[in-house]
Amino acid sequence: MADEVRMTITVARVLRVFLDDVAQPRYGYELMRLTGYPSGKLYPVLARLERAGWLTKEIEDIDPAIEGRPARRLYRISADGIQAARLALAVLSEQLRLAPGTGRRLRPHGGLV
Amino acid sequence: MSAIWAVLLGLFGALVGAAFGDLFSEEVRARLGRVPAGIIRLAGRRLPADVQQAWTGEWLDELEYILRGAEAMPVTRLVRGTSFAISLFARGAPAIRRESTGRAPRERPPTRPAADASTLASFVPVLRKTELFRDVDEPVLLEIARRSSILDVSNSQPIFTQNEPSDAMFVLAKGTVRLVVHSADGRQIELARHTEPAVFGEFSLLDDSPRSASAEAVGPSRLLVLGRQALFDVLQNRQVVEALLRSLVEQIRHSDH
């Protein structure tokens, strides 16, 4: 069973890259440049999205001897991921749009639970 | 004659120097290039065994691309590669480890009923001291205690976990509990820390929403656990309803100022 994904700005920015071109596979260093996140911030997000089934990972189909470099791990957004990510981003966008009013929202007794 | 020898020796020395210089710089380059790879291997050791090999392999291959790529000058590539590795060591690997271990089911220890009357009675003053039940009469407090079960937890044991369905509210009778959330990159952020007497977890129960944070014990703690049905049963009592409404209003006022 896939884990739930807690949507944050960090996760949203990574998903945005995939949703910009859903057919385009991405590799780690490329995602670092596109999001501006350091490796230590990006890879845990990729791990979480992969575990949730929103991303799939495959090894690049090349001959390392010919290319002169190792095969990369390519991440693709899955069909379920596209649907879930679009919905989650829409919800997040709506929440951010309503953000100015949230200063008055109810806070649970002694915490957020 | 000596001048010719001096020139020849000078030329020989220059050639040897250039050759050694190249060898030296090549060796320095090779050794420096191993530094980020070594850091990545160290980062890999911080991961759980079942994912260690896969992640380390991926990161080393990505590092190879960074170090050997056509982009930028050698020193810039080395700096980027080292930064890539250090970030994984300091932040990435621990975050992935936390998530992996955090996914292992951590369940609340079993609760037990308060069997004897004296134990039940001992909870009445505790309930009375809480903000929520401070104005509720003793017979009602005794009824709340009677409908509750007792949960004894030791240090770090979970009381509930973020995102799980809400099934009960809690009265902290003894000890300390902390509320934490886990960020997307696996970091743990402490929201609040309760010491006895305190009530928490009632709001998710009332609106039937999943837990927005996790609660775990800080040291040995004892809690009263009031389940959903038990809470709704005691809500038949007007004093309890008033207490909850007052608590809600206080929270609204608190959030307004």
Side-chain angles (χ1 to χ4, degrees), chain A residues 3-4 6 8 10-11 27-30 32-33 38-41 43-48 50-51 57 69-73 75 103-113, chain B residues 55 57-59 61-62 64-66 71 80 84 87-88 91-92 95 99 103 160 162 179 182-185 191-192 194 199 201-204 211-213 247 251-252 255-256:
Chain A
D3 294 1
E4 278 191 27
R6 188 165 161 269
T8 63
T10 305
V11 176
Y27 56 93
Y29 189 54
E30 178 187 28
M32 283 169 59
R33 286 185 304 180
S39 53
K41 190 173 183 178
Y43 279 98
V45 174
L46 293 178
R48 175 172 289 197
E50 187 192 357
R51 195 157 46 231
K57 184 158 62 173
R69 63 171 176 81
R72 295 190 185 105
R73 274 54 163 192
Y75 293 86
R104 292 172 62 87
R105 84 180 161 194
L106 180 65
R107 284 174 179 273
H109 194 69
L112 295 170
V113 291
Chain B
W55 280 115
E58 176 173 349
W59 293 339
D61 288 349
E62 206 68 44
E64 181 78 8
Y65 172 76
I66 296 168
E71 288 182 346
R80 283 182 186 167
F84 176 81
S87 180
L88 289 171
R91 191 170 172 186
E99 276 218 20
R103 281 191 313 126
F160 54 75
Q162 190 174 344
L179 302 177
H182 293 90
S183 67
D185 56 3
L191 294 178
H194 294 303
V199 177
E202 74 277 38
F203 282 83
S204 299
R211 300 290 186 195
S212 54
S247 173
Q251 294 301 318
I252 293 168
S255 65
D256 272 354

Side-chain angles (χ1 to χ4, degrees), chain B residues 47-61:
Chain B
L47 294 169
D50 58 330
V51 296
Q52 203 174 90
Q53 196 176 0
W55 280 115
T56 308
E58 176 173 349
W59 293 339
L60 285 173
D61 288 349

Side-chain angles (χ1 to χ4, degrees), chain A residues 66-107:
Chain A
I66 294 173
E67 296 288 334
R69 63 171 176 81
R72 295 190 185 105
R73 274 54 163 192
L74 297 175
Y75 293 86
R76 291 180 193 274
I77 190 162
S78 66
D80 287 347
I82 293 170
Q83 198 175 3
R86 283 186 175 145
L87 180 65
L89 288 180
V91 170
L92 181 67
S93 171
E94 183 67 12
Q95 287 173 344
L96 291 174
R97 196 175 65 77
L98 296 172
T102 55
R104 292 172 62 87
R105 84 180 161 194
L106 180 65
R107 284 174 179 273

